[in-house]
Amino acid sequence: MTEPGEDQERATPPAPSALPTPPASPAAPVPGASGPASTGTAGTPATATTATTGPVPPEVPPVEGGPRRDRYVDWLRAFSLIVVVVWHWAFTILQWGPDGPSPTSPLGFTSGLWILTWLLQVLPLFFYVGGYVHLLSWNRACERGVGIGTFVSRRIRSLAIPALALAGTWIVFGALVAWAFGIEWMDRVVLLVISPLWFIGVYLVLIALLPISLWLHRHYDVLALIWLAGAALVVDVLRLRYGYEAAGWLNMIIVWGLAHQAGFFYDRVVELPRRFDVAILWTGLFALFGLVYSGIYPGSMVGVPGDKLSNMAPPTFVIVALLIFQIGLVEVLRPSMERLLERPRWQRVNETVNRFALPLFLFHTTGMAIWVALTWWLAGGGPGVGVRPDLFWWLERPLAVAGALVCTLPVIMLFGRKWTARRR
């Protein structure tokens, strides 16, 4: 995620490859592996590190490497947020009961649709790219003499303040509406609007843990990923075999922390021969099929109302397989996407998407709530019992997306202009 003001925290990439700076971090080589020196993306040897033991040092040294802008990283990060937004706009179905609204999706009504979530549940990819960007930003901060404590606190403030402000505004608004009009289910409406912010909370925790994750990466390299994967699997065993349901919530940090930690290896993955990209893709895909068709895990990578188990709340080991699959997929697609992103028109699209991705995510449920209220008002009705997805429902999905977008843009212009302003 692009934190507000992050562009002031990085070095300016060299011309001529630099774009007009959007609110997104540049890319640069990731650290070399422990042991023999490895080659970074820019072709310069990365400094090797040797595994040691001891307490976490107060400062984590930077990883050497020259600056470089990776437009594909910018695209992946913004694209993953926009996929989440469009999914919510297009596929949220509100069901109304005595206690108010509850969300469901066409996954609960349409057989086989869950396979699409293997491509459209992009949060593993988002955390992966986020880890890479944080490592790059930390290297830039080290060049300016910024300490790890200052670095972490700045990033926490830049995300926590807008998220808390949005949540607080909705809570106060909901309380006032409930008090003034006696709407007992208003608290459920507020919860639905602010609930997508959950992953920002996880992201903030991972930022707070950066001193530890960077230290683990420097001293234990790939072994840190193996430990995290093993821990996620152990948590699933405790939860699914022995019934310790509460233990499952440890995977909120373990699984997403693994995806974030994997981002530290981004450049090494990029440098692999193409046959390894294909191998990573097939490894993840076969792991997904094996885990899902074992009968233990559901096929959907998002929660489906009525299912006894969700792969997302909390995340299961299946998300690790999904991460591997998505890393392989984006690397297989890299040559084609990099050629597209070199074109001036695609560069402008990439810049615009990056400028609007974060505020669009923050305010997209607010715009959706406005759109739902407007449709009720225009139709002269109110909340119904819910809509079962039929042919007409599917045909009106473009209208649902367009209407929510039109209602979200004014909110962004009012409250998110500092993030969408063109950076120079």
Side-chain angles (χ1 to χ4, degrees):
M1 177 176 295
T2 304
E3 291 89 346
E6 186 182 38
D7 58 315
Q8 287 111 16
E9 295 295 322
R10 64 172 186 253
T12 303
S17 61
L19 293 174
T21 309
S25 290
V30 176
S34 296
S38 62
T39 302
T41 302
T44 57
T47 302
T49 59
T50 304
T52 60
T53 58
V56 178
E59 300 294 341
V60 182
V63 178
E64 295 180 3
R68 165 181 75 84
R69 186 169 195 92
D70 189 334
R71 296 188 180 100
Y72 194 37
V73 168
D74 291 342
W75 173 261
L76 290 175
R77 183 171 48 178
F79 175 77
S80 60
L81 281 181
I82 289 176
V83 167
V84 173
V85 169
V86 174
W87 176 278
H88 288 163
W89 283 347
F91 297 131
T92 298
I93 301 174
L94 292 179
Q95 294 182 326
W96 291 83
D99 297 329
S102 60
T104 186
S105 73
L107 295 174
F109 301 95
T110 308
S111 176
L113 193 62
W114 54 266
I115 195 68
L116 293 180
T117 65
W118 292 17
L119 295 173
L120 300 179
Q121 173 49 281
V122 289
L123 284 185
L125 181 64
F126 175 83
F127 281 102
Y128 170 70
V129 174
Y132 176 54
V133 170
H134 281 141
L135 183 62
L136 301 180
S137 299
W138 167 238
N139 287 341
R140 302 301 191 275
C142 286
E143 292 172 1
R144 298 191 308 278
V146 176
I148 188 67
T150 302
F151 175 78
V152 168
S153 64
R154 285 177 180 175
R155 268 145 186 78
I156 289 177
R157 288 197 304 269
S158 66
L159 278 179
I161 291 175
L164 289 174
L166 177 62
T169 300
W170 265 103
I171 291 171
V172 172
F173 173 76
L176 291 175
V177 170
W179 173 76
F181 299 99
I183 302 177
E184 298 180 355
W185 42 260
M186 192 63 193
D187 58 333
R188 296 182 65 87
V189 173
V190 172
L191 182 60
L192 287 176
V193 172
I194 66 176
S195 59
L197 298 178
W198 70 264
F199 97 89
I200 291 184
V202 175
Y203 200 73
L204 289 170
V205 172
L206 295 180
I207 294 174
L209 293 175
L210 266 174
I212 296 174
S213 60
L214 290 170
W215 182 84
L216 286 172
H217 180 67
R218 181 176 175 83
H219 289 78
Y220 297 104
D221 203 66
V222 178
L223 189 57
L225 296 181
I226 296 173
W227 286 339
L228 288 169
L233 190 56
V234 168
V235 167
D236 275 8
V237 171
L238 292 174
R239 177 188 175 192
L240 304 178
R241 174 66 178 84
Y242 295 102
Y244 295 102
E245 283 294 326
W249 292 102
L250 292 173
N251 272 349
M252 289 294 287
I253 300 302
I254 296 173
V255 170
W256 299 126
L258 186 154
H260 187 265
Q261 191 89 11
F264 297 166
F265 298 86
Y266 173 88
D267 263 344
R268 280 190 245 173
V269 173
V270 172
E271 286 298 308
L272 291 174
R274 185 167 177 79
R275 64 180 180 274
F276 286 97
D277 300 338
V278 178
I280 292 171
L281 185 152
W282 282 106
T283 298
L285 187 60
F286 285 148
L288 279 171
F289 272 103
L291 291 168
V292 167
Y293 284 96
S294 69
I296 300 174
Y297 300 97
S300 174
M301 298 298 114
V302 300
V304 178
D307 282 1
K308 295 181 179 179
L309 179 65
S310 168
N311 283 317
M312 280 293 293
T316 66
F317 188 75
V318 173
I319 301 300
V320 177
L322 181 65
L323 170 68
I324 297 170
F325 167 67
Q326 291 183 347
I327 290 173
L329 180 62
V330 299
E331 290 307 317
V332 168
L333 295 176
R334 173 182 294 276
S336 299
M337 286 304 305
E338 286 185 335
R339 286 193 295 270
L340 283 177
L341 294 173
E342 287 296 325
R343 299 177 182 177
R345 181 175 299 177
W346 276 85
Q347 289 182 24
R348 290 192 293 271
V349 170
N350 196 14
E351 177 191 353
T352 301
V353 168
N354 271 274
R355 284 169 54 202
F356 283 90
L358 175 59
L360 187 65
F361 175 81
L362 286 174
F363 299 117
H364 79 280
T365 49
T366 299
M368 184 177 176
I370 296 172
W371 171 246
V372 170
L374 282 176
T375 54
W376 288 343
W377 178 68
L378 292 174
V385 294
V387 177
R388 187 178 183 88
D390 53 14
L391 178 61
F392 177 77
W393 185 89
W394 284 105
L395 290 175
E396 70 174 4
R397 291 307 86 201
L399 178 61
V401 173
L405 175 62
V406 168
C407 293
T408 302
L409 290 178
V411 180
I412 293 176
M413 292 299 101
L414 285 174
F415 303 107
R417 295 183 65 182
K418 71 172 183 177
W419 300 319
T420 60
R422 186 184 296 272
R423 313 274 181 175
R424 297 189 183 277

